[in-house]
Amino acid sequence: MRVLLVSANREKLPSPVVPLGPLAVAGALRDAHDVQLLDLCFEEDPRSAVERALCAMDPEVIGVGLRNLHTNAYDGMERLVAEYAELVTWIRASSTAPIVLGGPAYSLQPETLLARLGADYGVVGEGERLFRDLVDRLSRGEKPARIHRAGATPPGVVRARRLYGGASWPPSDLDDLPPPARDLVDPRYYAFDGTDNLQTKRGCAFACVYCDYPDLEGTKVRVRDPAAIADEMVARAEVPGVTHMFFVDSVFNVPRSHALAVCAEIERRDNPLPWVCYASPVALDEEVVGAMARAGCQGVEIGSDSGTPRMLAALKKPFSIDHIASSRALFRAHGIHDCHTFVLGALDETPDEVKETLAFVERLNPDVAVFIVFMEDRETMTVGRARHRDAILRLLAEEAPQRQGWVVPELGIRFGAKINDIVRRRGLKGPSWLHLARMRGGGSLGSASGGPSARRAVRS
């Protein structure tokens, strides 16, 4: 069948992100179907781009990938959902082919979005096998269920696993998937900041109360062959414009043994690209951080979330205040920049407790601290937004501009188009927060954010 995949994400803040999901789905379809990708990220006139693509291909199935429910500024969900609905309307006006919704945003609210957008089908969960199965069924004239969901156990080929440092893992279905169709990537992603992305595992065994990763990827961690990961990095390093890699796993350093194995394989290949990852204070020690540094890790994003023991327990975080502090010390000792994210106002957290977290961040003094005021987006949850949202935002508006490394996306503090313009004019490559970490001492990015000048220096 002729299949058009549409990547609906147009978010460019803090930087545009290569659509790994649609590329993976395209790679899984190619052996049996004619596949094209329409990426709307850089289109100045997305409606005309949709009309041209539909006219040129006349697809028999149209898959629409929805990456986010809210922008990275956390300014609510309505604007993006309205854009998605408008996109489906444009498609309907030019094609009678069935429309299939997928992607992380859709998987979080499948019932609501299928009804709101008026699509024909939806795929909940990992799309490589699910969307492929749906297209195969449609090609045979079958009428699948409107919402296609993964079974309890994904199929996979059982194979022996190599041992790394005495550790082994169960056979993984991830190693059996076709590679993403990276030849379909728009080169403007790499022209922007040179960052490509790669996944070493899926699933998260943690149970943080607000996190979407277990919903999207499952609670069982499935890891890829470390040698294959390193080989993929080597291949990506040969692509014109690619200067950095971002590991998009929910947590790179868990399982610890797998992280060590991946780092060893990357180091064995002479560190083809500098890289950044997400990490947890759990399972971080001198051996792991040292291995990351030797393998070319330049930065780590950590979901520290709170600076109070009560809120860490309420959020079901598997670490303590001391773990956060020790992770900061380890990364600093090894020359790796750290960016800690804090989720404020979750559950029943009060503004006074938020002040305790801000005081903790002041003591921690990470290279960068990002503050997000809690907003729930899962369909099965009814927590909604932070009860004290306005008060917390007022507090951040007063405190964050005074500290050079503090970022508040919702308030535009050291976040926004002006920051991107500075990064692009200077030809800086790699994830944008790395530049803030490196330039923090001079304060140039802080003044460019539009916030007040720093009234108090950050302690060194």
Side-chain angles (χ1 to χ4, degrees), residues 22-46:
L23 297 175
V25 172
L29 290 169
R30 279 179 153 180
D31 67 316
H33 302 283
D34 176 14
V35 183
Q36 293 185 20
L37 173 65
L38 171 61
D39 187 344
L40 297 178
C41 186
F42 298 100
E43 295 293 340
E44 294 184 6
D45 185 350

Side-chain angles (χ1 to χ4, degrees), residues 427-439:
L428 302 175
K429 298 297 182 180
S432 60
W433 72 264
L434 282 178
H435 311 309
L436 177 58
R438 292 165 181 155
M439 300 165 68

Side-chain angles (χ1 to χ4, degrees), residues 302-352:
I302 304 173
S304 296
D305 287 353
S306 179
T308 69
R310 188 189 84 82
M311 283 309 300
L312 287 178
L315 293 170
K316 297 185 178 179
K317 305 303 292 187
F319 51 79
S320 68
I321 297 294
D322 289 342
H323 286 123
I324 300 173
S326 64
S327 70
R328 162 64 172 153
L330 282 167
F331 288 124
R332 188 171 189 175
H334 285 275
I336 297 175
H337 291 295
D338 60 334
C339 174
H340 295 249
T341 299
F342 295 88
V343 178
L344 307 178
L347 306 178
D348 59 345
E349 186 177 30
T350 67
D352 284 341

Side-chain angles (χ1 to χ4, degrees), residues 159 161 168-173 175 220-223:
R159 60 162 61 88
R161 279 274 177 169
S168 63
W169 306 281
S172 171
D173 63 306
D175 287 328
K220 179 181 178 181
V221 179
R222 295 165 291 148
V223 299

